[in-house]
Amino acid sequence: ALGDHPSCPSFPTMAHPAILNATEDDIHKMLAAQVHIGTSNSDFMMAEYIWRRRQDGVHIINIGKTWEKLMLAARIVVAIENPADVIAICARPYGQRAVLKFAQHTGASAIAGRFTPGTFTNQITKQFKEPRLLLISDPRTDSQAVKEASYVNLPVIAFCDSDSPLQFVDVAIPANNKGKHSIGLLHWLLAREVLRMRGVISRDMQWKVCPDLFFYRDPEEVERAAEEAAAPAFEEAQPQWGAAGVASAEVPATDEFAAGPVVPPTEGMFGAAGGVAPAVPASGWDAQPPAVDGAPVAGGWEAQPAPQPTAGWDAAPTGAPAAGW
């Protein structure tokens, strides 16, 4: 199946059992994720893994070599007795999710994000580790980890692009290590093959974990998708005015701040008959004393003037002013 695609010419291949051959579905996944797309630059040590160069200058990686190195890397990972002694490292944001998922399913350790210098060489540091195998997503970005691995004789497996340096790298897996779909699919394929070799999952059945879980997800896209999913539910929860199921609001029969009942509005401004609506006697602090027959109503136009003060500063002057000063 590998030799059928133009990017998979017939090269001398490594000897491995036929059961480890790639299926057509695996090749389609790798092509859809653009695992075979390299960069415009090329390292002289990666020349044997490059099939050809396109007219736009981009190098095409041989997928057959990629699959063979994936199987070799899986056999090396399975040979480690304690899965926790395998450390997967990725400093790029696109590969951090894939590294964490690979460690979760295979039992390995993961270092996602910045690699602390001295993790493999300085025993005083809190993050000091003594692993037996190192899995690198990009030898150029994770160069500090690769350099320290060379100091402690630690074997290194790395996903290498067409321009990646191969110094201190023991097993180079030629693939596109810059795309979020490519790096996620590579870790998914490697984790699936490790579990198959350990006997955890069967080769006859499809792995229930989908490759999408290994892909990088932008936090803004996640929030936008959550808001779009919550918008229809919010609109359905809101009441529809004028609908048959929504009852009209009722006017309360009593006022909360007054003891007397609230008079409902009558037709017209001055009542149905054109006159003024009768006043309702109020009770409480706002109540006025009842008016006496024949006395003018307080506060009206016929109200009596207030008495003038006879003493104090406000008293009116009495008598004629005296002569002189």
Side-chain angles (χ1 to χ4, degrees):
L2 292 177
D4 298 339
H5 195 268
S7 63
C8 304
S10 57
F11 282 103
T13 58
M14 299 173 56
H16 61 264
I19 196 173
L20 299 180
N21 291 337
T23 61
E24 185 177 358
D25 184 52
D26 296 334
I27 298 300
H28 288 169
K29 283 186 174 67
M30 296 174 69
L31 293 176
Q34 296 183 351
V35 175
H36 62 292
I37 302 298
T39 61
S40 57
N41 298 328
S42 173
D43 190 87
F44 72 98
M45 299 184 70
M46 289 290 297
E48 59 178 318
Y49 303 113
I50 297 174
W51 174 52
R52 58 175 296 181
R53 190 175 186 180
R54 297 190 311 194
Q55 295 181 358
D56 56 355
V58 177
H59 294 85
I60 305 299
I61 299 174
N62 184 7
I63 293 185
K65 295 285 186 178
T66 303
W67 183 262
E68 291 175 0
K69 288 301 186 73
L70 276 174
M71 297 300 103
L72 176 62
R75 296 170 68 177
I76 295 175
V77 172
V78 173
I80 305 299
E81 297 178 0
N82 185 11
D85 289 339
V86 180
I87 294 185
I89 298 178
C90 183
R92 288 190 174 185
Y94 284 175
Q96 293 179 8
R97 184 182 177 91
V99 164
L100 294 174
K101 289 294 184 179
F102 175 83
Q104 175 185 354
H105 292 288
T106 61
S109 303
I111 300 179
R114 181 180 180 273
F115 177 80
T116 304
T119 302
F120 301 148
T121 56
N122 191 358
Q123 300 180 1
I124 303 177
T125 58
K126 296 181 180 180
Q127 297 87 2
F128 177 73
K129 300 178 182 297
E130 290 182 309
R132 296 186 58 187
L133 182 63
L134 199 62
L135 179 62
I136 300 295
S137 298
D138 190 355
R140 190 180 302 277
T141 307
D142 306 319
S143 59
Q144 180 66 27
V146 176
K147 186 182 296 184
E148 291 189 10
S150 66
Y151 295 158
V152 295
N153 296 328
L154 186 63
V156 176
I157 301 174
F159 295 102
C160 302
D161 212 330
S162 60
D163 59 346
S164 298
L166 299 185
Q167 189 179 14
F168 305 131
V169 175
D170 298 286
V171 178
I173 304 176
N176 177 13
N177 59 7
K178 296 178 176 58
K180 59 182 180 180
H181 295 156
S182 175
I183 195 68
L185 180 64
L186 291 172
H187 282 85
W188 181 81
L189 291 173
L190 184 59
R192 187 189 65 173
E193 192 60 33
V194 168
L195 295 179
R196 283 180 175 178
M197 291 185 178
R198 289 177 180 172
V200 178
I201 59 177
S202 175
R203 295 184 179 274
D204 300 333
M205 299 178 62
Q206 188 176 4
W207 194 22
K208 296 181 179 180
V209 179
C210 59
D212 298 349
L213 298 178
F214 286 69
F215 295 163
Y216 169 80
R217 299 185 64 185
D218 190 3
E220 296 181 357
E221 295 180 359
V222 175
E223 294 179 359
R224 192 181 304 110
E227 292 177 358
E228 293 177 356
F234 179 76
E235 293 178 358
E236 293 177 0
Q238 294 297 325
Q240 301 293 334
W241 298 104
V246 179
S248 59
E250 299 179 357
V251 180
T254 58
D255 191 2
E256 297 179 357
F257 303 99
V262 178
V263 179
T266 56
E267 298 180 2
M269 182 179 299
F270 298 100
V276 181
V280 179
S283 61
W285 296 100
D286 298 335
Q288 296 292 338
V292 182
D293 296 340
V297 180
W301 294 102
E302 300 176 358
Q304 296 293 334
Q308 298 293 333
T310 58
W313 296 98
D314 298 333
T318 58
W325 296 98

